[in-house]
């Protein structure tokens, strides 16, 4: 597949699947917009491989091997690879972040219990912070302080998702809120799929305050990325 056709594929996937996120891409110059579409299409495929019925780690292992082969110049067959590899080289994105994205979606395929906020932080880092750090490589930054701020912003994003989806996740047997927080607010894990109780409300308010602090702490990132990308980050 040609590089142009690969970018067209990634842009089409982004338009169809990214929903609100895609509109933030439109605030970017064309080359950066295409790069963001390539990253999104890669992440979308990761998610799809982990979410489809009967998903197994072997499919993600194959995807990881295809990533390594493509980075090594042996382009795999999926339409996303030419655009993604061009983006990685053009914006000097460390490949380890792409591997950590795969680690993040792989974690949902193995049973795990979130005991502490440190456990939750690690989960949020793998599924959201690495996305944010990769994104600012496309946006452009000069200060090394931008990376830890992007990490915090990603944690805040994922905490927001967890709070929003707590009931839906619980109905699927997934509990991302730390067991230590559930105990602190006297919330039984099985009650997360039911009605909103005063105890659950206080727990969610506690987690929301955490997210708000992280959003506030990451605000300086807006001034650190290159000016042609600030509107897109603000929209995100």
């Amino acid at each position: 597949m040609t590089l142009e056709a690969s970018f067209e594929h990634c842009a089409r996937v982004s338009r169809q699947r990214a929903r609100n996120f895609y509109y933030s891409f439109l605030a970017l110059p064309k080359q950066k917009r295409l790069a963001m579409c390539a990253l999104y299409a890669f992440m979308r495929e990761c998610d799809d491989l982990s979410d489809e019925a009967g998903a197994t780690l072997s499919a993600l292992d194959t995807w990881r091997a295809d990533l390594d082969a493509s980075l090594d110049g042996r382009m795999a067959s999926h339409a996303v690879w030419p655009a993604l590899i061009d983006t990685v080289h053009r914006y000097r994105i460390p490949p380890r972040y792409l591997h950590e994205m795969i680690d993040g979606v792989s974690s949902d395929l193995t049973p795990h219990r979130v005991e502490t906020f440190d456990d939750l932080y690690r989960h949020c880092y793998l599924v959201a912070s690495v996305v944010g750090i990769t994104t600012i490589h496309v946006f452009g930054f000069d200060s090394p302080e931008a990376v830890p701020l992007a990490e915090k912003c990603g944690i805040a994003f994922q905490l927001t998702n967890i709070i929003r989806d707590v009931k839906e996740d619980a109905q699927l047997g997934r509990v991302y809120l730390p067991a230590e927080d559930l105990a602190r607010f006297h919330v039984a894990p099985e009650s997360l799929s039911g009605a909103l109780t005063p105890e659950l409300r206080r727990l969610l308010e506690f987690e929301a305050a955490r997210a708000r602090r992280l959003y506030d702490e990451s605000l300086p990132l807006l001034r650190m990325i290159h000016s042609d990308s600030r509107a897109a980050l603000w929209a995100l």
Side-chain angles (χ1 to χ4, degrees):
M1 173 172 284
T2 67
L3 182 59
E4 181 181 9
S6 179
F7 273 118
E8 288 176 356
H9 164 81
C10 294
R12 185 165 56 252
V13 169
S14 299
R15 284 194 301 271
Q16 294 172 350
R17 306 284 301 278
R19 297 183 295 181
N20 292 338
F21 281 129
Y22 179 71
Y23 295 102
S24 69
F25 301 169
L26 298 180
L28 293 166
K30 181 180 179 180
Q31 189 60 56
K32 289 187 175 184
R33 181 170 69 251
L34 291 174
M36 284 302 301
C37 289
L39 289 174
Y40 177 82
F42 168 76
M43 293 182 286
R44 182 74 269 160
E45 184 66 20
C46 289
D47 283 342
D48 288 348
L49 287 171
S50 66
D51 286 342
E52 62 187 15
T56 63
L57 287 172
S58 63
L60 286 167
D61 289 341
T62 299
W63 187 244
R64 191 190 298 273
D66 286 349
L67 168 63
D68 285 334
S70 298
L71 286 168
D72 196 39
R74 296 172 285 110
M75 203 67 68
S77 60
H78 196 282
V80 75
W81 296 121
L84 179 74
I85 301 306
D86 180 83
T87 296
V88 167
H89 292 325
R90 185 183 300 270
Y91 296 101
R92 299 180 182 179
I93 298 171
R96 71 180 179 90
Y97 294 129
L98 303 177
H99 279 282
E100 286 179 325
M101 289 179 198
I102 299 174
D103 292 340
V105 296
S106 298
S107 68
D108 274 338
L109 294 179
T110 55
H112 62 283
R113 180 175 168 87
V114 179
E115 296 287 349
T116 67
F117 181 66
D118 286 343
D119 295 336
L120 177 58
Y121 192 100
R122 177 61 179 169
H123 167 76
C124 292
Y125 172 82
L126 289 174
V127 301
S129 289
V130 291
V131 177
I133 294 168
T134 304
T135 294
I136 66 168
H137 279 77
V138 174
F139 287 174
F141 63 93
D142 300 309
S143 171
E145 295 177 7
V147 173
L149 290 178
E151 178 178 324
K152 285 187 176 184
C153 191
I155 302 297
F157 275 8
Q158 190 60 23
L159 274 175
T160 302
N161 289 342
I162 288 170
I163 294 165
R164 180 196 64 197
D165 296 338
V166 65
K167 183 174 182 176
E168 179 184 349
D169 285 335
Q171 290 171 343
L172 295 172
R174 297 173 178 174
V175 177
Y176 295 105
L177 298 179
E180 63 181 9
D181 294 348
L182 293 172
R184 176 179 178 179
F185 290 92
H186 308 289
V187 175
E190 56 270 20
S191 71
L192 295 175
S193 59
L196 180 63
T197 63
E199 293 81 8
L200 179 54
R201 180 183 292 277
R202 286 193 289 272
L203 169 61
L204 295 179
E205 288 173 345
F206 173 77
E207 305 297 353
R210 271 179 166 159
R212 175 59 63 191
R213 284 194 298 273
L214 289 164
Y215 279 124
D216 290 343
E217 291 170 8
S218 64
L219 273 176
L221 181 63
L222 279 169
R223 300 192 300 272
M224 292 182 182
I225 64 166
H226 292 174
S227 59
D228 65 356
S229 302
R230 288 174 191 163
L233 178 56
W234 183 88
L236 283 168

